[in-house]
């Protein structure tokens, strides 16, 4: 039995670092685990210009503990009126690594998102030309579509057409949750990849209703049936370069989660790597953790691999029931339980 494992330092290809006091509270958790992270732009107001992204990057750097070795990679929030020239210039200047498509009203702070992909075709054409990745929250928002079907319907109604129109656009299908998404990503060329969260590898939709309503298991896209979780586990541990680590760590204060209308989002940053390592171990695939966590992401984004390394040991991590941060309480993923692995 393997009791320690050393891998290249990983990156998080999808995280919500927030702003203000919450940013101050959570930045250190991500920086402790990851060398780089793709930072989501769904602030209020959203990060839609290179200037606002540069300012936000400064605030993130200022929120890091002294001595952190962490690089935030910034993203542009696409709106119906997104300007191809601005976005391309921000990319050329090294401010924007990628741009994020939120279908309008799909999730937290997405009210300014795109109402119809047709509106942003000139932007997407430009992104294809310059090799700038499009990050996709893949859910339709139509009220007649069951929430558990939103991702699968998005593939049929939006993604297939988009890829047909722009076959060379680099696309990351973010936080996939279904076997349909795995099949779709597998069927595409190497310019289409996907991130997978730790929570979608650990829980199925029963977790939201285990003995009562469980707001800390609620996120978007919502967890699906067991067969989907198993398909995600297979994809993540397959060794395919199309799949890489993206936590989608999305902190909300405890009162915003435990509410009559609780916010979507799971805060997994504090033990994310331990959580993934547990899955890879359970699947007999610890030898593939490094590819998923530290190689496939940079290869897709065309960035160098990290040189530093991190060692995990099988001594276990006791995850606290909650984490007190300045002025508020956060409930981490796996709260109150023990994970098999620990970062040394
Ligand atoms: O669960 C989620 N929380 N999904 C998202 O897409 C957004 C995120 C957030 O920002 O809270
Ligand atoms: Zn997200």
């Amino acid at each position: 039995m393997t009791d320690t494992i050393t891998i290249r330092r990983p990156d998080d290809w999808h995280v919500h670092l927030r702003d203000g006091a919450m940013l101050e509270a959570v930045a250190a958790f991500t920086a402790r685990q990851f060398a780089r992270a793709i930072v989501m732009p769904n602030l209020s107001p959203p990060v839609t210009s290179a200037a606002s992204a540069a300012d936000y990057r400064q605030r993130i750097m200022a929120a890091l503990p002294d001595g952190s070795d962490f690089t935030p990679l910034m993203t542009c929030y696409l709106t119906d009126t997104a300007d191809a020239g601005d976005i391309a210039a921000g990319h050329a200047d090294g401010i924007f690594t990628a741009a994020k498509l939120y279908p309008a009203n799909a999730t937290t702070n997405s009210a300014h998102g795109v109402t119809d992909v047709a509106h942003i075709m000139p932007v997407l054409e430009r992104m294809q030309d310059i090799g700038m990745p499009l990050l996709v929250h893949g859910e339709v928002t139509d009220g007649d579509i069951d929430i558990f079907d939103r991702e699968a319907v998005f593939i049929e109604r939006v993604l297939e057409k988009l890829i047909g129109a722009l076959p060379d656009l680099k696309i990351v299908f973010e936080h996939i949750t279904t076997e349909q998404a795995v099949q779709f990503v597998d069927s595409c060329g190497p310019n289409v990849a996907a991130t997978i969260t730790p929570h979608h590898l650990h829980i199925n939709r029963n977790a939201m209703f285990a003995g009562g309503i469980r707001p800390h298991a609620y996120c978007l896209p919502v967890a699906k049936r067991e067969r989907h979780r198993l398909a995600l586990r297979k994809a993540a541990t397959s060794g395919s370069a199309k799949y890489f680590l993206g936590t989608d760590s999305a902190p909300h204060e405890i009162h915003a989660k435990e509410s009559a209308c609780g916010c979507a989002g799971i805060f997994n940053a504090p033990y994310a790597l331990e959580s993934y390592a547990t899955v890879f171990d359970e699947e007999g695939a610890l030898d593939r953790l490094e590819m998923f966590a530290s190689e496939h992401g940079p290869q897709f984004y065309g960035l160098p691999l990290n040189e530093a390394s991190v060692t995990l040991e099988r001594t276990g991590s006791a995850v606290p029931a909650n984490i007190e941060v300045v002025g508020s309480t956060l409930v981490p993923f796996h709260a109150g339980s023990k994970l098999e692995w620990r970062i040394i």
Side-chain angles (χ1 to χ4, degrees):
M1 189 191 269
T2 311
D3 286 325
T4 65
I5 169 173
T6 298
I7 62 171
R8 270 180 204 280
R9 199 151 174 249
D11 304 300
D12 184 351
W13 299 97
H14 183 129
V15 71
H16 299 267
L17 291 182
R18 312 299 194 206
D19 209 350
M22 186 65 96
L23 168 62
E24 302 280 337
V26 302
F29 292 110
T30 291
R32 179 180 83 91
Q33 297 227 322
F34 300 106
R36 295 169 288 199
I38 284 277
V39 181
M40 287 298 123
N42 64 331
L43 304 182
S44 182
V47 179
T48 53
S49 69
S52 63
D55 288 349
Y56 182 33
R57 183 164 63 183
Q58 288 295 111
R59 298 198 295 280
I60 294 167
M61 296 308 289
L64 297 173
D66 290 345
S68 296
D69 177 14
F70 176 73
T71 305
L73 303 173
M74 309 310 291
T75 59
C76 178
Y77 180 117
L78 295 172
T79 66
D80 282 349
T81 57
D83 183 84
D86 275 1
I87 290 169
H91 184 62
D93 291 344
I95 298 169
F96 285 139
T97 299
K100 177 76 189 262
L101 166 61
Y102 285 107
N105 304 315
T107 186
T108 309
N109 291 339
S110 62
H112 302 281
V114 174
T115 60
D116 186 333
V117 170
H119 295 138
I120 57 163
M121 282 311 278
V123 175
L124 301 182
E125 278 163 23
R126 188 71 169 274
M127 288 172 61
Q128 174 174 258
D129 291 347
I130 63 177
M132 180 176 181
L134 174 71
L135 316 183
V136 178
H137 183 112
E139 290 192 283
V140 296
T141 57
D142 312 54
D144 60 327
I145 303 296
D146 190 278
I147 189 166
F148 295 100
D149 297 332
R150 286 180 175 184
E151 183 174 283
V153 173
F154 184 89
I155 295 169
E156 290 167 21
R157 289 196 187 166
V158 183
L159 215 39
E160 282 176 353
K161 289 184 188 129
L162 178 60
I163 290 168
L166 298 171
D168 296 323
L169 180 62
K170 287 176 96 161
I171 295 178
V172 184
F173 196 173
E174 299 286 351
H175 42 54
I176 58 168
T177 61
T178 57
E179 63 184 5
Q180 289 93 331
V182 171
Q183 279 162 12
F184 179 74
V185 170
D186 281 343
S187 75
C188 292
N191 56 314
V192 178
T195 53
I196 304 180
T197 74
H199 40 282
H200 291 113
L201 294 170
H202 277 278
I203 63 172
N204 61 34
R205 64 189 194 173
N206 289 342
M208 288 181 289
F209 309 107
I213 193 109
R214 299 275 184 173
H216 299 290
Y218 174 57
C219 63
L220 288 170
V222 74
K224 308 294 193 298
R225 290 177 183 274
E226 178 65 358
R227 70 185 152 87
H228 298 291
R229 184 182 77 99
L230 297 178
L232 298 174
R233 283 191 159 224
K234 201 164 161 213
T237 59
S238 67
S240 164
K242 288 173 158 288
Y243 300 101
F244 42 85
L245 186 161
T247 64
D248 199 15
S249 182
H252 293 275
E253 289 185 44
I254 191 168
H255 64 80
K257 293 287 296 173
E258 298 178 5
S259 149
C261 186
C263 293
I266 293 180
F267 177 50
N268 58 32
Y271 297 92
L273 191 58
E274 296 88 333
S275 181
Y276 282 114
T278 300
V279 169
F280 276 70
D281 191 13
E282 287 166 358
E283 295 292 322
L286 275 177
D287 57 327
R288 295 182 178 165
L289 177 63
E290 181 173 38
M291 300 177 206
F292 176 79
S294 318
E295 294 177 358
H296 296 161
Q299 283 160 0
F300 183 85
Y301 277 86
L303 294 169
L305 303 184
N306 297 318
E307 289 302 330
S309 60
V310 55
T311 298
L312 293 125
E313 61 177 21
R314 195 191 288 282
T315 48
S317 300
V319 180
N322 47 53
I323 295 179
E324 300 296 335
V325 293
V326 182
S328 59
T329 301
L330 301 174
V331 177
F333 185 44
H334 302 296
S337 57
K338 191 179 172 211
L339 287 166
E340 191 80 350
W341 291 85
R342 189 172 81 88
I343 295 179
I344 300 178

